[in-house]
C-alpha cells in the first residue's frame, strides 16, 4: 500500500483539500443558486480540489431532494471540471439513500458522501448492508462519513476494513476522532481518509490521512492548502505554525454554536455572501457571537 501522504494529489479520488460547502438561502429562506455558484467558485479559486455538497454544513436535513439536484447542477455549471463534486446522499433510510445516490449521479456528481444512518442506530451488520447497497447502486466512488456524535453510532474499524473490499468504497470522511482506530484502518486497507474535524486536521494528516474535508476552509482555504502542502513536503514546523494560528477561528466556528451558523456568518463578514440566512431549526448568529467571531477571524488573520 502506498502512503496517502506521498501520493500525488491527482492520484487521489478527491484531491486533498475539500470544503463541506454551505447552501446559501435568500432572506425568505428560498434557495439562492446564484450565491451557491459564487461560493463554489470562491472556494475552487482558493485552492479546493473538491467540494462536498448537500452535507450537514449544507443544511441537507432541510433541503429537498429536488433542491439537492439543483445545487449539484448549479455548482457543476459554475466550476466545470476544476473540482470534483462529492454529493451528500446519506439518510437513515437505505432505499431513500439509494434513490438520492442515483439522482446525484444523474446530476453530474463525481462521488458520493454517505453518512452513517442516524437516529435509528443500526448494528454493524446493518451498516455493512446499508453502505454496500448504496455503493452497488451507482458507478460512483463512495466516501463513508463516520460521525458518531451526530449519527449515534460509529462505523467500527473492523467494519471499515471489511467494507474496503468493495471497489467503489474508496474513502472515509473521518469525524470520529479515534486516532488509533484510524491508524488501524489505514494499516489494513487502501481507504483514503479525509479529516472531518478541523481541530484535528494536522494530527490526522500526520498519521497518514490524505486530506481534509473542512468547514473552516470556507474562510481559510488558502491557509489549509499551505498546511497540507507543508505536511506533504515534510515541513512540520510550517504546518504547526499555520495550524496554531488558525486555532481561534476553528474554536469559534466549530464550538460556539452549530458550524453552519458560524461559517455563514463568517462568509458574510468576509463579503462572500450577502445573507447568512438559515432554515429552521437553525437560527442566525447572535450579536454577541458575531462580535467574538469578528475578533477571532482577525486574530487568525482571515479578515482585515
Amino acid at each position: 500500500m502506498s502512503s496517502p501522504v506521498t501520493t500525488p494529489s491527482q492520484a487521489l479520488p478527491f484531491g486533498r483539500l475539500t470544503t463541506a460547502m454551505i447552501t446559501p438561502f435568500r432572506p425568505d429562506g428560498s434557495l439562492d443558486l446564484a450565491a451557491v455558484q459564487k461560493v463554489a467558485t470562491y472556494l475552487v479559486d482558493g485552492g479546493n480540489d473538491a467540494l462536498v455538497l448537500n452535507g450537514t454544513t449544507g443544511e441537507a436535513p432541510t433541503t429537498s431532494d429536488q433542491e439537492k439536484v439543483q445545487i449539484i447542477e448549479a455548482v457543476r455549471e459554475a466550476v466545470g471540471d476544476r473540482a470534483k463534486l462529492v454529493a451528500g446522499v446519506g439518510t437513515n433510510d437505505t432505499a431513500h439513500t439509494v434513490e438520492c445516490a442515483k439522482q446525484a449521479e444523474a446530476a453530474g456528481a463525481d462521488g458520493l458522501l454517505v453518512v452513517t444512518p442516524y437516529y435509528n442506530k443500526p448494528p454493524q451488520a446493518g451498516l455493512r448492508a446499508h453502505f454496500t447497497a448504496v455503493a452497488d447502486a451507482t458507478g460512483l466512488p463512495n466516501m463513508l462519513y463516520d460521525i458518531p456524535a451526530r449519527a449515534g453510532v460509529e462505523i467500527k474499524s473492523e467494519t471499515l476494513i471489511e467494507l474496503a473490499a468493495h471497489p467503489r468504497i474508496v474513502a472515509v470522511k473521518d469525524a470520529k476522532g479515534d486516532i488509533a482506530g484510524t491508524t488501524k484502518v489505514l494499516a489494513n486497507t487502501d481507504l483514503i481518509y479525509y479529516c472531518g474535524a478541523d481541530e484535528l486536521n494536522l494530527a490526522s494528516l500526520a498519521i497518514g490521512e490524505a486530506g481534509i474535508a473542512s468547514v473552516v476552509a470556507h474562510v481559510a482555504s488558502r491557509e489549509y492548502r499551505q498546511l497540507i502542502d507543508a505536511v506533504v513536503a515534510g515541513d512540520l514546523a510550517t504546518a504547526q505554525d499555520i495550524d496554531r494560528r488558525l486555532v481561534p477561528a476553528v474554536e469559534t466556528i466549530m464550538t460556539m454554536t452549530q458550524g453552519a451558523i458560524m461559517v455563514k456568518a463568517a462568509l458574510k463578514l468576509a463579503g462572500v455572501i450577502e445573507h447568512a440566512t438559515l432554515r429552521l431549526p437553525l437560527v442566525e448568529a447572535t450579536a454577541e457571537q458575531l462580535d467574538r467571531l469578528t475578533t477571532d477571524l482577525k486574530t487568525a488573520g482571515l479578515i482585515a
Side-chain angles (χ1 to χ4, degrees):
M1 281 175 280
S2 61
S3 168
V5 176
T6 57
T7 302
S9 289
Q10 60 269 29
L12 297 169
F14 311 114
R16 294 195 187 277
L17 176 60
T18 304
T19 298
M21 197 179 108
I22 63 157
T23 299
F25 301 119
R26 300 184 185 92
D28 65 358
S30 60
L31 182 62
D32 189 343
L33 288 174
V36 166
Q37 292 185 316
K38 182 178 180 181
V39 173
T41 301
Y42 160 80
L43 290 172
V44 175
D45 288 347
N48 277 270
D49 303 307
L51 301 175
V52 176
L53 309 175
N54 301 323
T56 310
T57 307
E59 297 178 70
T62 54
T63 57
S64 69
D65 290 358
Q66 181 182 7
E67 287 175 324
K68 289 178 174 65
V69 168
Q70 291 176 316
I71 289 165
I72 297 167
E73 292 173 342
V75 173
R76 174 61 73 207
E77 180 182 9
V79 305
D81 61 0
R82 294 200 297 142
K84 299 288 188 180
L85 304 186
V86 185
V89 298
T91 74
N92 61 351
D93 170 5
T94 303
H96 186 203
T97 303
V98 165
E99 181 183 348
C100 291
K102 291 177 178 178
Q103 290 173 348
E105 182 178 42
D110 298 298
L112 305 175
L113 178 73
V114 190
V115 72
T116 316
Y118 41 83
Y119 189 73
N120 42 17
K121 299 183 76 170
Q124 295 298 305
L127 295 185
R128 288 192 295 272
H130 174 83
F131 289 126
T132 299
V134 179
D136 285 344
T138 78
L140 297 179
N142 284 219
M143 179 190 294
L144 307 187
Y145 188 7
D146 190 9
I147 182 165
R150 288 186 184 274
V153 61
E154 68 172 319
I155 313 174
K156 291 188 179 296
S157 298
E158 294 73 19
T159 301
L160 287 163
I161 291 168
E162 185 174 339
L163 287 168
H166 195 293
R168 283 184 294 282
I169 295 177
V170 302
V172 177
K173 181 180 177 183
D174 176 22
K176 186 159 57 182
D178 178 8
I179 295 293
T182 295
T183 301
K184 179 179 179 179
V185 178
L186 289 171
N188 287 280
T189 74
D190 285 318
L191 287 172
I192 302 297
Y193 264 68
Y194 294 84
C195 180
D198 278 309
E199 69 276 11
L200 295 177
N201 282 338
L202 178 54
S204 298
L205 292 167
I207 65 164
E209 297 201 10
I212 67 175
S214 174
V215 174
V216 179
H218 279 93
V219 288
S221 287
R222 287 177 172 82
E223 288 77 8
Y224 278 132
R225 180 90 256 172
Q226 293 166 358
L227 186 152
I228 292 167
D229 290 346
V231 172
V232 172
D235 183 1
L236 189 58
T238 295
Q240 289 172 338
D241 179 65
I242 297 167
D243 187 59
R244 292 168 185 175
R245 180 158 43 89
L246 293 176
V247 164
V250 172
E251 282 191 347
T252 300
I253 290 173
M254 300 310 299
T255 67
M256 180 170 281
T257 182
Q258 205 267 5
I261 294 172
M262 296 307 288
V263 85
K264 279 191 169 181
L267 283 171
K268 185 177 178 182
L269 286 172
V272 180
I273 58 175
E274 185 178 356
H275 307 292
T277 309
L278 299 106
R279 287 182 178 173
L280 289 172
L282 300 186
V283 294
E284 290 191 40
T286 65
E288 181 181 359
Q289 290 167 343
L290 288 172
D291 285 345
R292 166 78 182 277
L293 176 64
T294 302
T295 297
D296 287 347
L297 290 178
K298 288 179 178 177
T299 301
L302 300 177
I303 61 173

